[in-house]
Amino acid sequence: MNNNHWYKNAVFYQISVRAYKDSNGDGHGDLRGITEKLDYLQTLGVDCIWIMPIYPSPLKDDGYDIADYYSVDKAFGSLDDLKGLIRAAHEHDIRIVMDLVLNHTSDEHPWFVASRSDRNSPYRDYYVWSDTNQKYKDTRVIFLDTEPSNWTWDEKTGQYYWHRFYASQPDLNFDNPKVQEEMLNVARFWLDLGIDGFRADAVPYLIEREGTNCENLPETHAYLKKLRAFMEENYPGRILLCEANQWPEDVRPYFGDGDEFHMGFHFPIMPRIYMALKKGRYEDMEKIMRRTPSIPENCQWCTFLRNHDELTLEMVTEEERQWMWKQYAPEPRMKLNLGIRRRFAPLLDNNRRKMELANSILFTLPGSPIVYYGDEIGMGDNLDLFDRNGVRTPMQWDDSPNAGFSKGKPFSELVKGELSYQNVNVASQINGPGSFFNSVKRMIALRKQHPAFSGSNMEWLDAGNPAVAVYIREHEGETMLILNNLSDAAETVHIPAEQQTTYLDLFAGQNVAINDKITLQPYSYLWLVKK
Ligand code: BGC
């Protein structure tokens, strides 16, 4: 494979830097802490780490509210520490991408401070101001538990400013060429430092136009293409990963003709994996994957089970959302905005079989998978913490005080109860051959050995049983037959005649002759390579 296409079959791992490992005892995870853990990440099989925002920030949105695009918040270390991390990661064959937050800044960013100081400020036009709060009325509010409107009144200058997230995150005005240029400079700065690419935050919202919902507009795509062209010209092999929480057909344009994003998160498949596990039927997964357009050869989807936000239910119907809340958010405090603020293991009742099956789905669907830190050991969450902080608690390294995360007082409460660090931690799982960690590690290793997984297509088979998802992955001359039994009962499937042959069962490590019928144990899965 062309090495510039490394992302097409890479395993990603998402890290909240503050929560991962504290190297200096100040209670905050830091860049040096991640450097200390590269051996661990290499053992797991990670190819690329996505580090969440490390920029100086007043932390009204955990760093997605940036006050300075050109440095590292002291709590995380220094630019030299980042360089050190990148160097050490590359020695471990691991790449590093970081968040690029284009859409908005913090209200403490000097541009906004200047912008709101005076209507005649040269920075006024860096943001979106209006005399009325009636513009762009067709635009939804995203943080609807806290924000009544996308407009906030500024007393001093007597106008409203526009924001798609918290009021403390004013939207930049991408109609202003200076803003467009500024953000290219930001990208250049981090690319020159050696970063391997960006997870571009909240990209659908860059441009506003009256009479639209202000999402996915052609002008937004035009700017993103400029950013890609700039990267292609100066930094080939570095990637742009698109965060657009949209339907597959609306994400498709973000790949352009292979000239916009290299990768895009597949948001809608995620809740449908949880739906399938609860219903014991695969139909919702199949429908959304059939609705997923094909993408250019040099692009790839990014799949995930959880991330640092609430489990979003934006990409389901109202009826499905109510159903998901009922199933997965039995306590009202588990809900947040249009989602569920819980982690992977608690969502699946810490049921080992379901947790493995969900990972089997993640690692066999088209797209490069992302593992959210801690989910590889099945760590818990803390619902007492505000907003999404309950899924961003310190990584559970061992059962020593503070989970081996810090020698000081951790920035956050830890997880309590059954899934706390006393019961769930890396040290107790890493050497246990039967541990959850080792199941995930094995899946990652097998996935990486097989080119069939690096394509972006799949073929669903009707095997006569709605409880068993059966599909074929084919790429570079290899064919793989995958079976995932979503039911809590043993289930039998009928394999179509064309697929009846000898396969290598990857987990058993031996050849099997697949005839008409196979029976799968509850929540079990098979990865079979056609001989
Ligand atoms: C990030 C969130 C963040 C928001 C605003 C997102 O989509 O994932 O964590 O709050 O953008 O930056």
Side-chain angles (χ1 to χ4, degrees), residues 208-423:
E208 300 73 38
R209 288 288 178 268
E210 202 55 73
T212 74
N213 67 356
C214 296
E215 302 192 3
N216 312 320
L217 298 181
E219 295 87 341
T220 292
H221 285 290
Y223 178 69
L224 294 167
K225 281 196 165 66
K226 264 193 219 168
L227 172 62
R228 169 65 181 269
F230 159 77
M231 283 180 61
E232 210 57 38
E233 192 177 329
N234 301 292
Y235 309 93
R238 321 277 187 102
I239 62 158
L240 280 173
L241 162 58
C242 171
E243 193 223 5
N245 188 353
Q246 303 283 330
W247 294 101
E249 57 276 18
D250 295 326
V251 179
R252 174 64 189 82
Y254 288 93
F255 295 111
D257 296 322
D259 58 354
E260 205 168 313
F261 280 89
H262 301 79
M263 307 190 80
F265 288 113
H266 199 309
F267 274 94
I269 184 62
M270 183 274 298
R272 287 169 179 79
I273 297 174
Y274 291 91
M275 278 156 72
L277 278 161
K278 204 54 130 187
K279 292 184 183 172
R281 297 170 78 90
Y282 70 86
E283 61 189 345
D284 299 305
M285 282 173 23
E286 181 184 4
K287 270 193 213 140
I288 204 74
M289 293 311 290
R290 285 195 188 278
R291 183 176 160 179
T292 299
S294 63
I295 56 178
E297 173 58 28
N298 60 344
C299 296
Q300 187 56 294
W301 293 101
C302 226
T303 49
F304 59 99
L305 295 169
R306 284 296 289 114
N307 62 21
H308 63 297
D309 289 326
E310 65 274 33
L311 187 166
T312 165
L313 299 174
E314 280 159 82
M315 292 302 122
V316 298
T317 63
E318 180 56 34
E319 196 187 326
E320 289 168 333
R321 187 176 302 132
Q322 295 301 334
W323 185 86
M324 281 290 287
W325 272 331
K326 198 159 167 228
Q327 301 298 327
Y328 286 108
E331 294 178 39
R333 64 185 185 147
M334 293 171 171
K335 290 188 189 174
L336 179 70
N337 301 316
L338 287 187
I340 303 171
R341 52 183 206 109
R342 302 177 74 191
R343 255 192 190 262
F344 172 70
L347 279 164
L348 297 186
D349 305 320
N350 195 29
N351 178 311
R352 172 68 183 268
R353 285 176 160 187
K354 288 194 204 173
M355 285 159 62
E356 271 192 39
L357 180 62
N359 276 282
S360 165
I361 297 169
L362 175 72
F363 289 117
T364 57
L365 283 178
S368 293
I370 297 205
V371 177
Y372 184 50
Y373 85 93
D375 284 348
E376 75 278 21
I377 54 168
M379 72 180 253
D381 51 33
N382 184 335
L383 288 167
D384 295 340
L385 300 174
F386 176 66
D387 197 344
R388 292 152 291 173
N389 295 342
V391 301
R392 303 175 186 180
T393 57
M395 177 67 176
Q396 299 178 178
W397 292 107
D398 58 39
D399 64 2
S400 70
N402 301 333
F405 159 73
S406 171
K407 297 228 164 3
K409 184 175 178 308
F411 70 96
S412 156
E413 260 184 31
L414 287 88
V415 174
K416 299 173 195 150
E418 189 195 354
L419 300 179
S420 67
Y421 68 91
Q422 289 91 342
N423 302 321

